């Protein structure tokens, strides 16, 4: 018991139970077990997988499933029940399902806590073949999923010290599409999801770490161009750097079917790369190989690794995808190494003025070595955007923004369809207030890489400013799916989108998670205080506000709201009104 890992997080929990299980077993034990196994194999397990859920445990008559997205949990629950209704008619296996959003405690592979307990009570309240959800789940999904819940009122349940507001859904109550039309389904995630762990640096020289990391990042970028794969972002894959961990655990934590791991050894102009693809379900090897090449062949090796993974998973590549993978942006090895070094600084969480200066020097050297290197210009533009926010160079903000703008325009001229130039242009346009120009740039970037997590985040951030709140929620949830280790940042904006929709209970839940993950957040506490004000939790709001002022005594909510460039003035007022209700606005 001494090495058990205990932590907590905010999760959506699905609890399912078979109706009349004891009776069915008494009547026909063999037939019931056969029907149950078929249900799990053909309906339940595939549906959970499609919606990125993790089956925590299966009991004889039920199951407990964890999701990081409440939308995924609700879609999974209703899809299971709708499918069972169509398959069974009046007989066969029937389920009750409850869905809740709340805190859970993780201990090894199991989950406990209030969030789980409430989900179990909701499952008991569900109709046979139906779904029962908590008020926070109903508020969180709203009308985004096209699912109409019926208000079940306030109920008291065993071992829960507060009344629960519940909502019900049943397939037989769902209104059919008008005129016999079929509602189009949203595209589902591909069957395979992969995480590329940082390749181990076996060179015996810590200075070569940038090189092994850079190759890992290049492979991530190439794989993200394959439409048949979901590829986890670099931030989340690299969270395992230097750790010895069971790859099956990585699969559960990141929601991936496969993991790529390996090593890089560089000696002078020779490079050895080993790589192996692991199935996270059972830890088995799907593919492995070793490459001994000259440094000048490094681009070809990365290309081969990507294509071997595609082949091992029996995926098909379109001609365009094949061309995109082969396009590395430069043939100059030294320029690409400088680009790798610069990119390493961009993703380093402890970036400061010294690191920024080194990164800019590498970027300038990369474009000096290859003046046609579009991605290097794009990343260097982002470096100057960081300077605009952080004042690391000591130059005025306007000058930093002008440098960023000049570089990004050169980047786009060289690579009009490339990921980095368009992503940089979108980010810079967003902070220039050119929101309508930012979104088409993101479209171009994500036409090549639909798994670009920061692209989904930037899109969601822009859509909040534009007041497109349902779109923002969908896209921020997608960012969390692709980069769960960066959810602390995404959570702030996801909460803001729910808040501005008037979903204050949901917003407060997400903001409490944000405060838990980022202990010194001032903006998270400010929005939380406002949400609590709207909910009538005045004393708690005041305590949160006081904690915020201890972190940042000069905090000014109006200045921070102005930075968001919210297009609807009513949205800014909604934040201020929550603070007014808690009598906090005079302190801002």
């Amino acid at each position: 018991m001494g090495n058990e890992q205990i932590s907590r997080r905010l999760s959506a929990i699905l609890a399912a139970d078979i109706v009349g299980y004891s009776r069915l077993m008494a009547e026909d034990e063999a037939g019931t077990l056969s029907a149950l196994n078929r249900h799990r194999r053909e309906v339940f397990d595939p549906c959970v997988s499609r919606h990125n859920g993790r089956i925590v445990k299966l009991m004889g008559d039920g199951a407990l499933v964890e999701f990081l997205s409440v939308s995924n949990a609700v879609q999974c629950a209703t899809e299971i029940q709708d499918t069972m209704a169509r398959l069974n008619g009046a007989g066969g296996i029937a389920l009750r399902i409850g869905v809740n959003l709340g805190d859970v405690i993780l201990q090894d592979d199991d989950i406990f806590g209030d969030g789980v307990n409430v989900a179990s009570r909701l499952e008991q309240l569900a109709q046979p073949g139906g779904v029962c959800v908590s008020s926070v789940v109903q508020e969180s999904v709203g009308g985004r999923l096209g699912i109409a819940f019926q208000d079940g009122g306030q109920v008291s349940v065993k071992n829960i010290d507060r009344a629960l507001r519940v909502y019900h859904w049943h397939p037989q109550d769902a209104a059919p599409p008008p005129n016999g039309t079929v509602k189009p389904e949203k595209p589902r995630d591909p069957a395979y999801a992969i995480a590329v762990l940082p390749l181990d640096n076996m060179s015996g020289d810590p200075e070569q770490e940038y090189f092994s990391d850079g190759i890992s990042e290049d492979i991530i970028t190439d794989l993200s161009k394959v439409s048949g794969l979901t590829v986890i972002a670099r931030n989340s894959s690299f969270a395992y750097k230097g750790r010895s961990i069971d790859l099956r655990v990585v699969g559960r934590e990141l929601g991936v079917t496969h993991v790529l791991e390996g090593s890089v050894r560089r000696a002078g102009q020779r490079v050895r790369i080993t790589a192996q693809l692991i199935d996270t379900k059972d830890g088995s090897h799907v593919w492995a190989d070793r490459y001994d090449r000259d440094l000048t062949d490094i681009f070809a090796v990365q290309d081969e690794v990507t294509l071997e993974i595609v082949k091992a998973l029996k995926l098909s590549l379109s001609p365009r995808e094949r061309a995109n993978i082969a396009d590395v942006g430069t043939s100059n090895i030294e320029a690409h190494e400088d680009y790798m070094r610069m990119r390493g600084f961009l993703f380093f969480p402890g970036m400061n003025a010294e690191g920024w200066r080194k990164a800019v020097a590498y970027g300038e050297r990369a474009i000096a070595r290859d003046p046609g290197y579009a991605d290097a210009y794009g990343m260097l533009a982002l470096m100057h955007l960081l300077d605009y926010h952080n004042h690391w160079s000591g130059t005025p903000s306007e000058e930093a923004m002008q440098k960023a703008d000049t570089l990004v325009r050169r980047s786009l001229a060289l690579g009009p369809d490339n990921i980095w130039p368009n992503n940089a242009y979108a980010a810079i346009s967003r902070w220039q207030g050119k929101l309508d120009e930012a979104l088409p740039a993101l479209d171009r970037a994500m036409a090549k890489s639909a798994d670009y997590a920061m692209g989904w985040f930037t899109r969601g951030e822009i859509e909040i400013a534009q007041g497109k709140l349902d779109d923002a929620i969908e896209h921020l949830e997608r960012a969390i799916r692709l980069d769960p280790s960066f959810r602390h940042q995404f959570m702030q904006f996801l909460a803001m989108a729910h808040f501005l929709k008037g979903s204050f209970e949901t917003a407060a839940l997400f903001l409490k998670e944000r405060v838990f993950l980022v202990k010194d957040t001032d903006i998270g506490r400010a929005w939380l205080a406002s949400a609590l004000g709207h909910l009538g939790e005045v004393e708690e709001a005041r305590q949160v506000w006081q904690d915020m002022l201890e972190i940042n005594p000069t905090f000014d909510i109006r200045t921070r709201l102005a930075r968001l460039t919210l297009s609807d003035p009513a949205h800014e007022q909604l934040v201020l009104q929550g603070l007014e209700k808690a009598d906090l606005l005079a302190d801002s």
Side-chain angles (χ1 to χ4, degrees):
M1 299 290 288
N3 57 2
E4 291 177 345
Q5 295 299 310
I6 301 175
S7 59
R8 63 156 296 278
R9 68 181 172 214
L10 183 67
S11 295
I13 304 301
L14 182 155
D17 185 68
I18 298 171
V19 179
Y21 179 72
S22 297
R23 174 184 57 79
L24 291 171
M25 289 292 286
E27 293 174 353
D28 182 2
E29 183 176 277
T32 297
L33 287 175
S34 177
L36 177 57
N37 288 333
R38 185 170 61 253
H39 159 71
R40 286 175 174 168
R41 182 176 64 252
E42 298 177 0
V43 179
F44 195 87
D45 290 6
C47 189
V48 169
S49 178
R50 280 195 300 273
H51 293 288
N52 307 314
R54 177 177 77 92
I55 296 177
V56 178
K57 55 187 173 185
L58 291 169
M59 294 74 77
D61 59 346
L64 192 66
V65 187
E66 181 190 22
F67 299 82
L68 292 183
S69 162
V70 68
S71 297
N72 281 348
V74 171
Q75 286 176 308
C76 182
T78 55
E79 184 179 314
I80 288 171
Q81 298 293 48
D82 189 56
T83 301
M84 293 304 294
R86 288 187 283 106
L87 290 177
N88 292 334
I93 297 291
L95 300 180
R96 290 185 176 93
I97 296 180
V99 181
N100 183 44
L101 178 66
D103 280 339
V104 300
I105 299 170
L106 294 90
Q107 184 169 331
D108 290 341
D109 292 338
D110 210 345
I111 56 175
F112 308 91
D114 188 61
V116 178
N117 296 337
V118 171
S120 298
R121 297 293 177 257
L122 293 169
E123 169 263 304
Q124 296 166 11
L125 295 171
Q127 303 170 41
V131 178
C132 181
V133 306
S134 60
S135 60
V136 71
V137 168
Q138 188 276 336
E139 184 184 74
S140 178
V141 299
R144 292 186 295 121
L145 305 181
I147 298 170
F149 289 100
Q150 303 298 317
D151 192 340
Q154 298 268 8
V155 297
S156 296
V157 296
K158 182 180 178 181
N159 295 332
I160 302 296
D161 61 3
R162 64 190 185 282
L164 300 177
R165 184 70 173 267
V166 300
Y167 292 81
H168 294 278
W169 177 90
H170 197 283
Q172 68 185 18
D173 299 328
N179 302 322
T181 58
V182 178
K183 181 182 176 181
E185 292 187 8
K186 290 186 177 181
R188 291 173 176 161
D189 273 356
Y192 296 115
I194 189 170
V196 178
L197 300 188
L199 301 177
D200 292 331
N201 172 27
M202 304 297 289
S203 304
D205 179 5
E207 292 296 318
Q208 292 298 315
E209 200 80 11
Y210 81 91
F211 187 74
S212 55
D213 286 352
I215 291 175
S216 308
E217 292 168 30
D218 284 346
I219 294 172
I220 290 172
T221 299
D222 283 347
L223 287 172
S224 72
K225 298 172 183 176
V226 179
S227 60
L229 274 176
T230 294
V231 184
I232 297 301
R234 183 254 193 220
N235 288 324
S236 292
S237 292
F238 273 55
Y240 299 94
K241 186 177 176 67
R243 294 167 55 187
S244 177
I245 190 166
D246 189 329
L247 297 183
R248 292 170 295 182
V249 174
V250 176
R252 289 194 295 269
E253 291 182 347
L254 297 183
V256 295
T257 59
H258 295 81
V259 167
L260 183 75
E261 64 171 0
S263 64
V264 176
R265 184 185 300 275
R266 179 177 177 181
Q269 295 300 303
R270 294 290 292 176
V271 178
R272 170 176 290 179
I273 297 177
T274 64
Q276 53 188 1
L277 185 66
I278 308 297
D279 187 323
T280 60
K281 184 176 182 180
D282 55 14
S284 62
H285 286 65
V286 178
W287 163 85
D289 210 340
R290 186 181 79 180
Y291 304 86
D292 288 292
R293 301 288 178 83
D294 288 330
L295 182 61
T296 53
D297 290 335
I298 191 63
F299 297 139
V301 173
Q302 292 171 180
D303 195 9
E304 285 183 46
V305 170
T306 300
L307 295 177
E308 287 293 341
I309 292 170
V310 169
K311 180 180 177 181
L313 297 178
K314 297 180 173 60
L315 301 173
S316 58
L317 285 178
S318 69
R320 180 179 180 183
E321 288 173 335
R322 180 63 184 85
N324 286 340
I325 290 170
D327 181 12
V328 296
T330 183
S331 59
N332 188 310
I333 298 294
E334 292 180 330
H336 187 63
E337 287 196 57
D338 285 330
Y339 171 80
M340 284 178 167
R341 291 179 185 271
M342 174 173 57
R343 183 173 59 187
F345 280 102
L346 180 65
F347 289 122
F348 182 63
M351 172 75 101
N352 54 24
E354 181 182 0
W356 178 84
R357 291 188 184 93
K358 290 179 180 178
V360 168
Y362 285 126
E364 290 175 345
R365 193 164 70 180
I367 61 177
R369 285 173 163 161
D370 183 356
Y373 198 172
D375 287 356
Y377 277 100
M379 194 168 293
L380 189 55
L382 285 177
M383 288 295 174
H384 285 284
L385 179 63
L386 288 176
D387 186 37
Y388 166 79
H389 287 294
N390 296 285
H391 312 291
W392 285 323
S393 70
T395 60
S397 296
E398 296 77 8
E399 184 177 333
M401 179 61 81
Q402 183 57 53
K403 286 182 179 178
D405 188 78
T406 300
L407 287 163
V408 81
R409 291 183 184 279
R410 177 60 178 160
S411 176
L412 275 176
L414 293 167
D417 298 321
N418 288 16
I419 297 170
W420 275 108
N422 279 289
N423 175 71
Y425 185 79
I428 291 166
S429 295
R430 184 262 179 272
W431 290 106
Q432 291 175 328
K434 302 174 184 176
L435 302 184
D436 292 335
E437 293 184 26
L439 290 177
L442 284 173
D443 289 338
R444 292 190 293 272
M446 298 171 76
K448 272 195 173 182
S449 175
D451 289 342
Y452 186 52
M454 287 305 295
W456 289 112
F457 169 65
T458 302
R459 181 179 291 277
E461 187 182 18
I462 291 167
E463 287 163 341
I464 288 174
Q466 293 178 321
K468 300 175 182 177
L469 302 175
D470 284 341
D471 290 340
I473 291 169
E474 179 182 346
H475 297 147
L476 289 165
E477 287 180 345
R478 180 64 181 168
I480 291 173
R481 161 68 182 126
L482 294 169
D483 196 357
S485 292
F486 210 58
R487 67 197 301 257
H488 62 279
Q489 177 70 12
F490 302 148
M491 193 70 69
Q492 173 72 39
F493 287 84
L494 184 58
M496 287 159 53
H498 281 292
F499 182 106
L500 296 177
K501 285 190 67 179
S503 301
F504 303 119
E505 185 179 2
T506 302
L509 200 58
F510 285 139
L511 288 163
K512 287 178 181 179
E513 179 75 354
R514 160 75 173 172
V515 168
F516 174 79
L517 294 171
V518 185
K519 305 298 184 186
D520 61 350
T521 175
D522 53 3
I523 191 65
R525 285 181 169 82
W527 281 72
L528 176 56
S530 181
L532 292 169
H534 279 294
L535 293 170
E537 305 289 343
V538 173
E539 290 305 315
E540 186 177 358
R542 290 174 177 170
Q543 182 59 58
V544 169
W545 189 259
Q546 183 58 41
D547 293 342
M548 183 272 294
L549 289 177
E550 290 178 8
I551 292 169
N552 183 0
T554 63
F555 183 88
D556 183 352
I557 185 62
R558 291 181 175 84
T559 299
R560 300 296 285 273
L561 287 172
R563 292 182 190 175
L564 296 173
T565 61
L566 301 173
S567 59
D568 185 348
H571 285 164
E572 181 173 327
Q573 286 303 310
L574 196 62
V575 181
L576 299 178
Q577 287 164 8
L579 297 175
E580 286 177 344
K581 289 178 180 180
D583 197 26
L584 294 171
L585 198 57
D587 297 332
S588 65

